[in-house]
Amino acid sequence: MTSSPFSALAASCHLVAPILIAVCAGGAWAAGPKDTKIRPSVARTPAAQAPAQLYANRPEVMAFADDLASRRDLDPQWVRQTLGQAHYLPTVVRLMQPPAKTFVKNWRVYRSRFIDPVRIAAGVRFWQENQASLARAEAEYGVPADIIVGIIGVETIYGRDTGKFRVLDALATLAFDFPASHPRARERSEFFKGEIEQFLTLQSRLNTDPFTALGSYAGAMGMPQFMPSSRNKYAVDFDGDGRIDLWNSPADVIGSVANYFKAFNWQPGMPTHYPVGFDSSKLDMDALMAPDILPTFSVASFSAKGAVLEGPALQHSGPLALVELLNGDLAKGGSAPIYVAGTENFYAITRYNWSSYYAMSVIELGREVAAQRARSN
């Protein structure tokens, strides 16, 4: 999956966002086989644990189950039995540990994990097989096909790696045993309790087995790696078969990703970013970097602080942000950072995963797939 990354990569995943990228699933960081056949969400036996630790033995978990059932008008016995059979997963706790030491981000290394021949070839096949759905999503939601293709490719290599953890096990582990060493442990534990609530409510409404869904070690699901709350808010039945299937229906995945971006204010026709330079005579880098990736500056205020724009960027009517992509530690052989002027659409991509590196990978993978597709036609 978009390895939708934690452990040493965990620092870059922001769980306050509704979706976790494939980096949180673990698999997308390694080049996989060229076979991109979508795998059904059928649970396998959890990894061996000696002995298995079930949440039925935790009084505070059973109290949570009773409260959840009451608030959501669910069968309390079903909630207790279901949550009680969830397994504690030590691997998930380990993967969520904060990194042992700080590290300097490196855009070129990060990019190489997602922009590679295997993923590009899989993207071309996905685009060719789903041209009609991509075109319809672009027409209905205003989100370009290359952005949708970029997201699904970065997340799960078009369904090749959607995760191998039972979603309920992963969510329970992170809700009730989030590593205390993490600086935001309490906040993230509450986030995952909310995701359990969303997941169990959905399973009860659909009358489906809550133990069959497999996902990332953070509980993200299907080809687009939606967390349960995002699935419930933004997923759509785009193929019109009366149900939403984010594992096996590329049309539902395409429509759901497009709907997600529309909900986060994607602006049709707006570029994601522009080239930017600097005027050293009036450069105020601290002021330019202060808002981080949130678009804040008008073209005039951007220029007044020493950012130099050219061509179409000078006519941009919305706010801009200075986006910095580091390329390692200069003192240890790294190279100079790359800067771009990010628009509201660049920011919209970061609502999928709160990372400028992630957003740029999505953009560049989509462009590479589009270019390769054009060459092969």
Side-chain angles (χ1 to χ4, degrees):
M1 296 170 6
T2 166
S3 95
S4 269
F6 275 91
S7 69
L9 307 172
S12 66
C13 279
H14 295 257
L15 298 183
V16 294
I19 290 181
L20 297 180
I21 67 169
V23 269
C24 296
W29 289 91
K34 294 185 179 181
D35 175 25
T36 58
K37 182 178 180 181
I38 299 166
R39 296 167 181 166
S41 56
V42 177
R44 306 182 186 109
T45 302
Q49 302 175 54
Q53 300 182 45
L54 301 179
Y55 281 99
N57 302 319
R58 298 270 292 272
E60 75 277 17
V61 176
M62 293 298 96
F64 173 86
D66 291 338
D67 179 63
L68 190 163
S70 176
R71 287 185 294 100
R72 288 284 180 164
D73 194 26
L74 302 176
D75 178 355
Q77 189 64 23
W78 177 82
V79 176
R80 288 177 67 92
Q81 288 179 347
T82 301
L83 194 51
Q85 290 302 306
H87 288 195
Y88 166 77
L89 299 180
T91 300
V92 167
V93 174
R94 177 178 59 80
L95 290 169
M96 281 291 183
Q97 295 284 354
K101 60 181 179 179
T102 59
F103 61 95
V104 178
K105 296 177 181 178
N106 190 316
W107 162 239
R108 289 189 174 86
V109 172
Y110 188 99
R111 182 186 189 279
S112 70
R113 291 165 173 160
F114 299 101
I115 319 298
D116 60 62
V118 169
R119 211 174 295 250
I120 292 169
V124 171
R125 290 194 296 274
F126 182 85
W127 197 324
Q128 290 171 339
E129 293 167 0
N130 298 283
Q131 293 182 57
S133 294
L134 287 163
R136 183 159 63 93
E138 184 165 349
E140 292 185 15
Y141 297 104
V143 182
D146 61 298
I147 295 296
I148 299 172
V149 168
I151 285 284
I152 302 168
V154 167
E155 289 297 332
T156 59
I157 318 180
Y158 309 99
R160 187 192 68 82
D161 190 357
T162 59
K164 300 176 178 63
F165 295 87
R166 289 199 318 192
V167 170
L168 184 59
D169 293 341
L171 294 177
T173 298
L174 294 172
F176 304 113
D177 290 290
F178 200 95
S181 59
H182 196 285
R184 296 167 61 200
R186 177 174 294 184
E187 176 186 352
R188 295 192 174 188
S189 175
E190 291 303 312
F191 170 84
F192 284 107
K193 287 176 182 176
E195 293 302 317
I196 284 180
E197 182 169 330
Q198 293 285 332
F199 180 73
L200 290 181
T201 300
L202 175 66
Q203 300 302 307
S204 176
R205 178 168 61 84
L206 296 178
N207 194 28
T208 52
D209 184 350
F211 295 103
T212 61
L214 300 179
S216 77
Y217 63 80
M221 305 183 298
M223 277 193 274
Q225 289 296 277
F226 274 19
M227 294 299 289
S229 59
S230 291
R231 188 273 180 209
N232 293 347
K233 290 178 183 177
Y234 308 114
V236 297
D237 173 20
F238 206 56
D239 63 11
D241 68 352
R243 63 192 184 96
I244 297 171
D245 186 349
L246 298 183
W247 280 270
N248 302 296
S249 172
D252 287 357
V253 172
I254 289 165
S256 298
V257 170
N259 186 49
Y260 182 90
F261 279 125
K262 182 178 180 180
F264 281 85
N265 301 313
W266 182 273
Q267 305 295 312
M270 178 185 288
T272 56
H273 61 284
Y274 299 104
V276 64
F278 300 109
D279 180 349
S280 59
S281 67
K282 56 180 180 180
L283 180 60
D284 187 349
M285 186 61 82
D286 289 342
L288 288 170
M289 293 299 300
D292 197 11
I293 54 178
L294 178 65
T296 303
F297 302 102
S298 66
V299 168
S301 62
F302 207 51
S303 301
K305 291 176 173 55
V308 177
L309 301 172
E310 296 179 349
L314 295 172
Q315 307 304 316
H316 186 77
S317 59
L320 296 169
L322 182 63
V323 176
E324 179 184 62
L325 300 170
L326 299 174
N327 278 307
D329 188 341
L330 288 172
K332 298 180 180 179
S335 55
I338 293 171
Y339 294 93
V340 298
T343 70
E344 290 168 290
N345 279 354
F346 188 96
Y347 187 73
I349 299 174
T350 68
R351 301 310 83 200
Y352 212 99
N353 178 271
W354 202 316
S355 165
S356 56
Y357 298 79
Y358 172 85
M360 191 61 77
S361 292
V362 166
I363 293 164
E364 295 204 359
L365 176 60
R367 288 180 176 177
E368 291 288 341
V369 171
Q372 181 61 36
R373 177 173 173 266
R375 287 191 293 268
S376 62
N377 286 342

